[in-house]
Amino acid sequence: MSAAGGGRDCGSPVPQRAPWSLVAATAALCLLSATSVRTAAAAPMSREEKQKLGNQVLEMFDHAYGNYMEHAYPADELMPLTCRGRVRGQEPSRGDVDDALGKFSLTLIDSLDTLVVLNKTKEFEDAVRKVLRDVNLDNDVVVSVFETNIRVLGGLLGGHSLAIMLKEKGEYMQWYNDELLQMAKQLGYKLLPAFNTTSGLPYPRINLKFGIRKPEARTGTETDTCTACAGTLILEFAALSRFTGATIFEEYARKALDFLWEKRQRSSNLVGVTINIHTGDWVRKDSGVGAGIDSYYEYLLKAYVLLGDDSFLERFNTHYNAIMRYISQPPLLLDVHIHKPMLNARTWMDALLAFFPGLQVLKGDIRPAIETHEMLYQVIKKHNFLPEAFTTDFRVHWAQHPLRPEFAESTYFLYKATGDPYYLEVGKTLIENLNKYARVPCGFAAMKDVRTGSHEDRMDSFFLAEMFKYLYLLFADKEDIIFDIEDYIFTTEAHLLPLWLSTTNQSISKKNTTSEYTELDDSNFDWTCPNTQILFPHDPLYAQRIREPLKNVVDKSCPRGIIRVEESFRSGAKPPLRARDFMATNPEHLEILKKMGVSLIHLKDGRVQLVQHAIQAASSIDAEDGLRFMQEMIELSSQQQKEQQLPPRAVQIVSHPFFGRVVLTAGPAQFGPDLSKHKETRGFVASSKPYNGCSELTNPEAVMGKIALVQRGQCMFAEKARNIQNAGAIGGIVIDDNEGSSSDTAPLFQMAGDGKDTDDIRIPMLFLFSKEGSIILDAIREYEEVEVLLSDKAKDRDPEMDNEEQPSSENDSQNQSAEQIISISPTVDLVDQETPEESSLNSSPESLSPADIEDAADVSPPEQTSSPTANHETPSLDGECTDLDNQLEEQSETEENSSPEVSWDKKAQPIDSILADWNEDIEAFEMMEKDEL
């Protein structure tokens, strides 16, 4: 994150609407004097100890940077466990994480201004020469626009800023002639095509060589981006414009920020996490201050610092008021829904929100900054590092820790604001933990699991760009730094941009004069720097008193102590089983469950049910482990339902004698064409050989041009799709191998990919449970040629079907117009023809019209939250599927015991029976909605 590094006396007010050159020169916004107040009872740290810790930071940086240069350069990043460089395309893909790598020596560029801050000017000069000599920005690689901007463009601009500073001092960089700035300008022009959208929001990715949309670019089809991705550009792009005089960069970044502001939710003044770059519709409507949004808020405040445009401060203050009203629940910061901001969107927090206390310091809101920071510090003391995500009761949610610097950043700013030596002790703890747990022979390795201390072969560039910079500045005195840090602003990647840019090349209007901003009531906005006498009302123990109630908040909420866990490790015991690691087919896991008092029940439909009885646990500690396991499993299931939700699909049998009246509810796939956006697929079905579809088909002539049937199991869904696609199939239906499973008793599956790129799968794939699948298999045995339609929802019968079907009586022909498409349960007799009496749908007050039946089918049961000790149905535990959010389009259901088999004769079931069942379902749905409200 962060902003002005200054510590000037902000006690005197800045005149409202003062020229920003004056504001920037006198205050660097709202940083407070480090010497103005001593707020804690902690004994001041001696100059000698601070110097010792500062030297320790220098040695740690040398260890990380030296190993990168020796073992990895010119690769983008160091792999510290294997002592080699990470090169894009030569290592297994890590998904979106690799989008930061562009074969441009990322770690070197990201570390440039860190070298100067740490007084390594000779190394800086050598590093700049290497960048100019070796780095190529014209690589055929798809990179993240956001990451490339903050790390590479920001790194080049930060390097340029300090290169010209050193040149002016006359000792170093005398040969420098704006070469880094020219590289930054080249990169800026390479990023501009990403902004070619109607909204002005950039595409999330771009090919450095080919740009957007060209066939060879392999990108440009994305529709969504995160708010932070589009809203964290203004500092770097505006600085590039101010340095070079090319206004286009600042203009594009401003347009993106303007659009995000325009699309905020007007009643709550919050923004969502993900937005459609073409329509401006919010895709993910949860809002917080962590991942996906964080630096958008940061850059609004810092754009005001760097550019002096009042509208940015107005926007920030508006958002900040909403954050403190809805998201801030001291000391927690919990995501909410933008349309229902009083409703929490999730029960866990991610590590990226650790930047927020630092931003609150810049705002001048110290009390909540101290509270949240202290809560985070207590979590760190329990787990040694801040887990990537943790729950509201401070349990680990995601156990990774990629050596993120946000907490160190907030620690630095709180120390600058308060002068409290307590924060020096916090920094000392961070140094000790890094050396004790993360240090390896070839650098520092990210933590794969903070609970076990396991490592990941990863050392991100931001570790060198930010962590060592903030830790060194925390312990450094002013004379330890060769330039005045207060003359610069930190970007979100901690790169330094000079504040004098606020008065340079001001070709962009400072004030947006649209009514959008003049409507805002800014009477409560602060236009002055906070006075320390108000923040700390003559009370040197002010900050300590805020922290004190939070000292044991983590221990009280999370009784499991890290000491007991570490002792169990030392004694040879294995760490407790985590929900995300559990496999129902692993005998060792089943034994652990038994020890924890958790029973596992295999249901007939293939699901697994878990029940815990604490009294059956081997010990009280095992019972506690069992309770935590059940809570994690519920959270995992809920998360999958929320984040991986897709609507159900339909398989409609359109051949004789069904003519579209049989519609089977099917689960979608995360790969292949999306049937809601592409034309439905129609064709005859054929069974593949082998039936599991896990190897090359031996009957390609049978499935050529048809929709192939394959059985679930023995390999990944994506592998089945590729095999039938290679045999010439136009689509695929996967039938569950759990005999008796049915969509009316089990939640639908969403077929997941195999962790690899699935763009090569071009045919639609749907999933049917066993009973639904048996309907198609029985039809094949009865009629041989069976034609189906794969679509997002049932289609009306087309005229060809009606012409093919010959009515058997006058009554039959009269009833054709009243006949509706009914999605059947496998246990319902096929409704073929109705008598006039049966077709009288409105004969009683309880009856529904055919239209009502279709409307009722759209009712989705709301998500139910289980008690940790209640029966809990896990998401698909075979690792191959993920649950849908129970959105079953059940357009006609009967009691499960009505018939064990589908009857293919002409016997009809009374429509009143179907409608009565539907009334019961609708009443149940309505009751569930009331319960949720």
Side-chain angles (χ1 to χ4, degrees):
M1 184 215 99
S2 284
R8 300 184 189 276
D9 184 1
C10 293
S12 57
V14 176
Q16 183 171 352
R17 302 296 199 263
W20 187 247
S21 57
L22 173 62
V23 179
T26 57
L29 198 56
C30 298
L31 259 274
L32 309 178
S33 173
T35 60
S36 60
V37 138
R38 294 292 177 187
T39 59
M45 185 176 286
S46 67
R47 166 70 175 160
E48 291 73 21
E49 186 174 3
K50 287 176 62 178
Q51 201 165 36
K52 179 181 177 182
L53 289 169
N55 290 335
Q56 200 170 351
V57 173
L58 292 176
E59 186 278 329
M60 293 166 67
F61 175 82
D62 289 341
H63 180 65
Y65 181 77
N67 274 286
Y68 164 75
M69 295 305 296
E70 179 180 353
H71 298 293
Y73 182 80
D76 283 316
E77 290 180 343
L78 170 68
M79 299 173 69
L81 299 183
T82 53
C83 297
R84 57 197 173 97
R86 183 181 297 280
V87 179
R88 188 91 173 263
Q90 295 183 13
E91 302 293 335
S93 173
R94 300 176 298 169
D96 292 346
V97 176
D98 283 340
D99 287 345
L101 311 181
K103 299 181 179 179
F104 35 37
S105 301
L106 176 63
T107 298
L108 181 62
I109 293 177
D110 223 358
S111 304
L112 287 177
D113 51 7
T114 304
L115 289 166
V116 182
V117 172
L118 273 56
N119 296 336
K120 297 180 179 297
T121 48
K122 180 65 169 64
E123 291 89 339
F124 171 73
E125 190 159 4
D126 293 340
V128 172
R129 292 185 186 276
K130 284 185 172 68
V131 169
L132 300 180
R133 182 191 68 204
D134 300 335
V135 172
N136 177 22
L137 299 175
D138 196 40
N139 300 311
D140 179 13
V141 60
V142 176
V143 297
S144 162
V145 173
F146 167 75
E147 297 289 357
T148 304
N149 172 66
I150 65 171
R151 300 203 207 187
V152 185
L153 183 59
L156 292 172
L157 291 172
H160 170 71
S161 299
L162 297 189
I164 58 178
M165 178 274 298
L166 291 173
K167 184 177 181 178
E168 289 175 359
K169 285 181 175 289
E171 184 176 354
Y172 294 97
M173 304 299 292
Q174 296 305 300
W175 55 269
Y176 182 71
N177 192 29
D178 295 348
E179 288 87 352
L180 290 177
L181 180 60
Q182 296 308 312
M183 288 186 68
K185 187 175 182 180
Q186 177 192 0
L187 181 59
Y189 278 118
K190 285 184 171 294
L191 296 178
L192 284 184
F195 292 83
N196 188 22
T197 62
T198 54
S199 66
L201 299 178
Y203 282 96
R205 298 174 186 84
I206 194 168
N207 187 298
L208 289 175
K209 188 176 185 68
F210 298 108
I212 294 285
R213 286 190 169 176
K214 295 178 183 178
E216 57 268 35
R218 305 184 305 284
T219 189
T221 60
E222 302 94 336
T223 59
D224 307 332
T225 194
C226 71
T227 299
C229 299
T232 311
L233 299 160
I234 187 65
L235 291 188
E236 292 84 1
F237 272 51
L240 184 56
S241 287
R242 302 296 175 98
F243 272 129
T244 64
T247 62
I248 188 171
F249 304 109
E250 186 173 341
E251 290 169 357
Y252 274 54
R254 280 177 175 265
K255 183 179 178 182
L257 272 182
D258 291 345
F259 190 83
L260 290 172
W261 170 252
E262 173 91 15
K263 290 299 179 179
R264 76 192 186 283
Q265 212 290 321
R266 300 306 174 93
S267 61
S268 66
N269 281 320
L270 295 172
V271 293
V273 173
T274 310
I275 190 170
N276 186 295
I277 60 176
H278 302 296
T279 66
D281 296 331
W282 291 110
V283 179
R284 277 188 55 187
K285 300 177 182 179
D286 46 318
S287 183
V289 297
I293 303 179
D294 49 0
S295 48
Y296 162 69
Y297 295 133
E298 175 189 353
Y299 269 38
L300 285 177
L301 183 57
K302 293 180 180 179
Y304 173 54
V305 175
L306 187 63
L307 307 179
D309 187 334
D310 295 346
S311 68
F312 291 128
L313 182 59
E314 291 173 356
R315 297 181 199 183
F316 173 79
N317 281 330
T318 301
H319 284 314
Y320 187 78
N321 290 341
I323 291 169
M324 299 309 293
R325 178 180 300 175
Y326 302 120
I327 296 172
S328 178
Q329 302 176 35
L332 310 180
L333 293 163
L334 293 177
D335 285 17
V336 300
H337 297 279
I338 59 175
H339 295 96
K340 298 179 180 178
M342 302 305 294
L343 182 64
N344 287 339
R346 62 189 189 190
T347 58
W348 49 272
M349 295 165 280
D350 65 73
L352 285 171
L353 61 76
F355 91 100
F356 197 68
L359 188 64
Q360 289 179 307
V361 170
L362 302 179
K363 163 70 177 171
D365 200 359
I366 299 294
R367 184 186 184 95
I370 294 173
E371 291 175 333
T372 299
H373 180 274
E374 182 62 24
M375 177 270 293
L376 295 171
Y377 184 44
Q378 296 303 319
V379 175
I380 288 175
K381 288 204 291 187
K382 178 162 286 293
H383 300 295
N384 300 321
F385 298 98
L386 195 61
E388 197 71 338
F390 53 94
T391 62
T392 52
D393 59 354
F394 309 111
R395 298 176 185 272
V396 173
H397 185 66
W398 294 336
Q400 304 92 333
H401 174 72
L403 306 182
R404 293 198 183 280
E406 285 77 14
F407 181 78
E409 171 187 357
S410 287
T411 302
Y412 164 67
F413 280 100
L414 272 168
Y415 178 67
K416 293 294 288 185
T418 66
D420 190 340
Y422 175 83
Y423 296 109
L424 297 177
E425 297 296 332
V426 173
K428 181 179 179 180
T429 300
L430 298 182
I431 292 174
E432 291 172 348
N433 288 349
L434 284 170
N435 279 321
K436 184 175 181 180
Y437 301 108
R439 187 166 182 143
V440 293
C442 281
F444 291 83
M447 307 305 297
K448 188 174 184 179
D449 193 315
V450 298
R451 298 161 302 196
T452 64
S454 58
H455 289 125
E456 187 176 355
D457 201 3
R458 169 182 180 185
M459 188 178 80
D460 291 84
S461 69
F462 56 68
F463 182 59
L464 284 84
E466 301 183 68
M467 180 69 82
F468 296 115
K469 196 175 292 174
Y470 287 124
L471 287 178
Y472 182 77
L473 290 172
L474 177 64
F475 297 106
D477 289 328
K478 191 168 184 178
E479 56 269 23
D480 295 328
I481 307 171
I482 62 175
F483 64 99
D484 192 349
I485 196 74
E486 298 172 9
D487 290 337
Y488 295 81
I489 184 173
F490 287 114
T491 70
T492 195
E493 190 78 2
H495 293 306
L496 294 167
L497 300 176
L499 289 173
W500 54 258
L501 289 175
S502 61
T503 58
T504 304
N505 291 323
Q506 296 177 307
S507 57
I508 307 294
S509 172
K510 284 187 177 181
K511 178 71 178 177
N512 191 320
T513 57
T514 65
S515 60
E516 186 63 47
Y517 310 119
T518 57
E519 290 174 359
L520 289 173
D521 177 15
D522 63 357
S523 59
N524 293 320
F525 291 172
D526 292 328
W527 294 95
T528 63
C529 289
N531 189 307
T532 57
Q533 299 304 312
I534 298 174
L535 287 169
F536 306 107
H538 308 286
D539 184 358
L541 300 179
Y542 176 77
Q544 184 186 18
R545 270 199 279 269
I546 295 175
R547 291 193 299 264
E548 197 61 36
L550 302 171
K551 288 292 184 183
N552 299 315
V553 65
V554 173
D555 287 328
K556 288 179 180 178
S557 300
C558 184
R560 168 179 297 281
I562 193 68
I563 296 177
R564 191 186 74 78
V565 177
E566 289 179 344
E567 287 176 349
S568 69
F569 291 164
R570 286 194 293 269
S571 64
K574 293 185 178 180
L577 178 64
R578 318 305 300 195
R580 63 174 56 252
D581 300 327
F582 173 67
M583 293 186 64
T585 56
N586 188 320
E588 185 180 353
H589 289 183
L590 299 180
E591 187 63 30
I592 295 174
L593 288 190
K594 183 178 179 181
K595 190 177 179 183
M596 295 190 300
V598 178
S599 303
L600 183 143
I601 304 170
H602 290 276
L603 302 180
K604 290 183 178 180
D605 57 19
R607 291 178 298 161
V608 174
Q609 190 175 57
L610 298 175
V611 184
Q612 190 204 20
H613 300 285
I615 58 174
Q616 297 179 4
S619 68
S620 60
I621 292 178
D622 291 311
E624 180 188 336
D625 286 341
L627 178 61
R628 174 195 47 73
F629 177 86
M630 295 295 286
Q631 290 173 329
E632 288 183 358
M633 189 63 76
I634 292 172
E635 186 72 23
L636 182 64
S637 176
S638 174
Q639 180 188 344
Q640 288 182 339
Q641 289 175 352
K642 288 179 180 179
E643 298 185 1
Q644 300 183 359
Q645 171 182 325
L646 282 177
R649 303 291 185 237
V651 176
Q652 190 171 5
I653 307 179
V654 296
S655 55
H656 174 81
F658 310 99
F659 302 112
R661 285 192 299 261
V662 176
V663 181
L664 307 173
T665 301
Q670 293 179 342
F671 49 85
D674 185 347
L675 290 171
S676 66
K677 300 176 182 178
H678 295 78
K679 190 180 181 204
E680 64 273 5
T681 298
R682 179 170 177 166
F684 289 92
V685 295
S687 296
S688 61
K689 293 182 182 179
Y691 189 33
N692 59 32
C694 291
S695 59
E696 183 178 349
L697 267 58
T698 59
N699 64 334
E701 67 285 346
V703 301
M704 175 73 71
K706 295 182 180 179
I707 295 173
L709 303 179
V710 293
Q711 189 177 47
R712 179 189 176 195
Q714 300 185 38
C715 66
M716 303 299 285
F717 288 120
E719 185 177 347
K720 299 177 190 289
R722 291 188 180 98
N723 287 331
I724 64 174
Q725 176 178 277
N726 292 339
I730 61 173
I733 298 174
V734 179
I735 298 176
D736 196 11
D737 59 345
N738 292 310
E739 188 174 354
S741 63
S742 170
S743 65
D744 57 340
T745 59
L748 275 178
F749 284 134
Q750 171 182 291
M751 294 187 288
D754 55 4
K756 303 174 183 176
D757 188 354
T758 55
D759 290 344
D760 60 314
I761 300 176
R762 301 179 300 278
I763 61 173
M765 296 289 292
L766 294 182
F767 178 89
L768 290 179
F769 280 102
S770 173
K771 285 192 176 181
E772 282 87 345
S774 67
I775 294 176
I776 294 181
L777 297 175
D778 288 345
I780 293 175
R781 285 191 285 269
E782 182 84 18
Y783 303 103
E784 295 186 0
E785 295 288 318
V786 176
E787 188 178 21
V788 300
L789 185 72
L790 310 183
S791 60
D792 61 328
K793 58 184 177 181
K795 307 297 180 184
D796 290 334
R797 292 165 49 191
D798 61 40
E800 292 180 9
M801 298 180 195
D802 289 332
N803 292 334
E804 289 174 17
E805 183 178 15
Q806 299 297 324
S808 58
S809 67
E810 182 178 352
N811 285 342
D812 292 341
S813 63
Q814 290 174 351
N815 290 328
Q816 291 295 324
S817 61
E819 192 170 8
Q820 299 293 319
I821 297 174
I822 298 178
S823 178
I824 67 169
S825 158
T827 59
V828 180
D829 289 345
L830 178 64
V831 179
D832 188 27
Q833 307 291 343
E834 301 88 26
T835 64
E837 291 80 6
E838 291 166 345
S839 296
S840 179
L841 300 177
N842 295 315
S843 58
S844 68
E846 286 98 19
S847 300
L848 296 174
S849 69
D852 291 331
I853 296 177
E854 292 189 348
D855 290 341
D858 291 330
V859 178
S860 299
E863 184 179 302
Q864 297 295 301
T865 303
S866 304
S867 165
T869 57
N871 292 0
H872 176 63
E873 298 170 3
T874 70
S876 67
L877 297 174
D878 61 359
E880 195 174 346
C881 303
T882 51
D883 284 346
L884 287 173
D885 198 20
N886 293 336
Q887 298 187 5
L888 305 179
E889 286 192 51
E890 301 169 315
Q891 292 175 313
S892 65
E893 286 203 25
T894 62
E895 295 178 359
E896 189 163 348
N897 60 2
S898 61
S899 172
E901 296 287 335
V902 174
S903 175
W904 299 106
D905 58 20
K906 297 297 181 181
K907 180 180 178 181
Q909 178 172 342
I911 193 70
D912 288 344
S913 173
I914 297 176
L915 295 176
D917 290 333
W918 259 110
N919 275 324
E920 292 179 5
D921 288 344
I922 293 171
E923 289 173 2
F925 289 159
E926 291 174 345
M927 184 63 67
M928 291 164 73
E929 289 180 333
K930 290 179 182 177
D931 290 344
E932 178 162 294
L933 292 175

